[in-house]
Amino acid sequence: MSTILLPETLSAANSKVLLQNCKKQLCTGALTLDGSQLKTMDYSADAFFALLAELAEKTGNRLTLSHFNEDIKAHLKSLRKMDPPDRPVKGTNNVLEMLGGLGFSFIKEFVEVLILLFMSIYWTVFGPFDKGKIHFGGVTKQMFKSGSEAMGICFLFVGLICLTMALQSSVMLNAVGGGSYLASGLGFLIFAEIGPLLTTIILAGRSGSAMAAEIANMSVCEEVKAIKSMAIPPVQYLVVPRFIALSITTPILSFCSSIVGSLAGFLIAYFFCDISFSNYMMGIRDGIAPITFLKSSVKALVFGWIVTLIACNKGLNAHGGAEAVGKATTASVVSAICSIVIADTLFAFIFY
């Protein structure tokens, strides 16, 4: 059994070295602390005795306190062991709590996107008449990045999908002797549904992800706060150019993609249904009402707004490091595609 004589004062200055010596002795065998000279001690002494008592319990070696005065004995007896509270186990929430959390998150994001929409419309419509407005460029650059550079992938996807759809439709129509109706049905479906929907979904994955990553990187690097510190509204500087650019390019790109899809459908109509080009165009003209082009443009415009606003909102709300940029980009693509599909369903009930 080892014995260690404690000094007159036990404080933070000397308790660290003394604790190390006591631990070494207690790990090898029983230990006796002689407190005959101990007169005063501060808050660190409580931790000193608590750590030694815990070590004695773990090692099974005996810790003895001898020759302590009555005041110190009373103080040590009043100490109580405080166990830290258990951490809540993740994944124990019930289904209702999970659905409630998802619901509140959806409402919060919906309100943020709605506010961003109103602010973007204000700066777009009334901004030029504001004398205190700071004029920024970048609309043409955003139109080129989001529209012109996306034409190839949009035309390819829409053309191939319309080609596949026309081929499958021609098989069924020829089986019942209705191959001549391929042009009218296919033309209506392409201009009213396939063109706007596929074009904006592709833009959500290509241009929307780029917007979210760019703005999220600015948020993470504190560039957005720097813009605010210069009294420049981030919506005016970052969101409005992209909002205007996609408002212009999305309907045009959707219409051009629909034309490419119709031309792809003509190949199937010509080789599988023996429909000439003039008859094919007449069938499209008879199957599509002029109002359909307006409805298609409105759908494409709204879908473009959804892509822009969700991407910008995710980017502006990104916080953290490089991981936050990836999360914002992924969330913007998923949210934009889901919102486009939901909006398309609502337009189907409203328009048709």
Side-chain angles (χ1 to χ4, degrees):
M1 177 182 292
S2 302
T3 302
I4 294 179
L5 180 63
L6 298 179
E8 294 184 3
T9 302
L10 187 59
S11 61
N14 58 5
S15 62
K16 184 176 180 181
V17 177
L18 186 62
L19 179 63
Q20 294 177 354
N21 296 331
C22 293
K23 282 185 176 181
K24 290 180 182 179
Q25 298 296 332
L26 190 59
C27 289
T28 58
L31 175 65
T32 300
L33 296 178
D34 188 353
S36 58
Q37 296 183 2
L38 183 63
K39 296 180 180 180
T40 59
M41 59 183 188
D42 60 6
Y43 63 91
S44 63
D46 296 342
F48 173 83
F49 289 109
L51 292 173
L52 289 179
E54 184 178 0
L55 181 60
E57 184 178 353
K58 289 181 179 180
T59 59
N61 296 327
R62 184 178 180 183
L63 176 65
T64 305
L65 305 180
S66 63
H67 304 104
F68 283 78
N69 60 47
E70 296 300 328
D71 294 337
I72 295 179
K73 285 183 180 180
H75 174 72
L76 293 178
K77 288 181 180 180
S78 64
L79 297 179
R80 295 290 183 270
K81 185 179 180 181
M82 301 292 291
D83 295 327
D86 296 332
R87 293 184 178 180
V89 181
K90 295 183 179 180
T92 58
N93 295 338
N94 56 39
V95 178
L96 293 179
E97 291 177 346
M98 295 175 61
L99 292 177
L102 292 175
F104 281 113
S105 299
F106 172 77
I107 293 174
K108 178 178 178 294
E109 185 173 351
F110 178 78
V111 172
E112 289 176 350
V113 171
L114 202 61
I115 294 174
L116 202 61
L117 172 63
F118 291 149
M119 295 178 66
S120 300
I121 293 176
Y122 169 79
W123 286 112
T124 302
V125 178
F126 300 103
F129 305 100
D130 188 357
K131 295 181 180 180
K133 174 182 179 293
I134 303 175
H135 295 276
F136 297 106
V139 176
T140 305
K141 179 182 177 181
Q142 294 298 327
M143 288 177 63
F144 180 78
K145 291 173 60 177
S146 304
S148 300
E149 293 183 355
M151 284 195 304
I153 188 68
C154 288
F155 291 171
L156 178 63
F157 268 73
V158 174
L160 291 177
I161 290 177
C162 291
L163 187 72
T164 304
M165 186 173 60
L167 179 60
Q168 294 175 348
S169 301
S170 65
V171 174
M172 298 301 298
L173 290 174
N174 287 332
V176 297
S180 59
Y181 295 100
L182 176 64
S184 58
L186 187 63
F188 175 80
L189 191 58
I190 289 174
F191 281 93
E193 185 69 23
I194 300 299
L197 183 63
L198 285 183
T199 300
T200 49
I201 287 178
I202 294 169
L203 286 178
R206 185 198 175 279
S207 302
S209 60
M211 291 181 188
E214 184 178 358
I215 298 178
N217 186 60
M218 295 178 67
S219 298
V220 169
C221 296
E222 306 293 339
E223 294 181 24
V224 175
K225 290 185 178 179
I227 293 173
K228 292 180 180 179
S229 66
M230 292 185 289
I232 299 175
V235 175
Q236 179 187 354
Y237 182 72
L238 298 175
V239 180
V240 172
R242 294 168 172 81
F243 180 81
I244 297 174
L246 277 187
S247 298
I248 298 172
T249 58
T250 305
I252 298 174
L253 196 58
S254 172
F255 182 76
C256 294
S257 298
S258 300
I259 294 177
V260 172
S262 300
L263 295 176
F266 166 71
L267 298 177
I268 302 299
Y270 180 79
F271 288 105
F272 288 85
C273 298
D274 297 327
I275 300 176
S276 63
F277 183 75
S278 59
N279 290 334
Y280 183 79
M281 296 305 296
M282 290 178 59
I284 291 180
R285 184 191 62 184
D286 295 337
I288 303 177
I291 192 65
T292 304
F293 296 104
L294 178 61
K295 294 178 180 178
S296 176
S297 299
V298 172
K299 289 172 66 174
L301 177 64
V302 174
F303 294 166
W305 287 356
I306 290 174
V307 172
T308 307
L309 297 175
I310 290 180
C312 293
N313 182 62
K314 293 292 186 181
L316 291 173
N317 290 327
H319 299 287
E323 185 180 359
V325 178
K327 289 183 178 180
T329 305
T330 304
S332 68
V333 175
V334 174
S335 300
I337 292 176
C338 293
S339 301
I340 288 171
V341 174
I342 294 173
D344 183 64
T345 305
L346 297 177
F347 275 123
F349 284 101
I350 295 172
F351 287 161
Y352 310 108

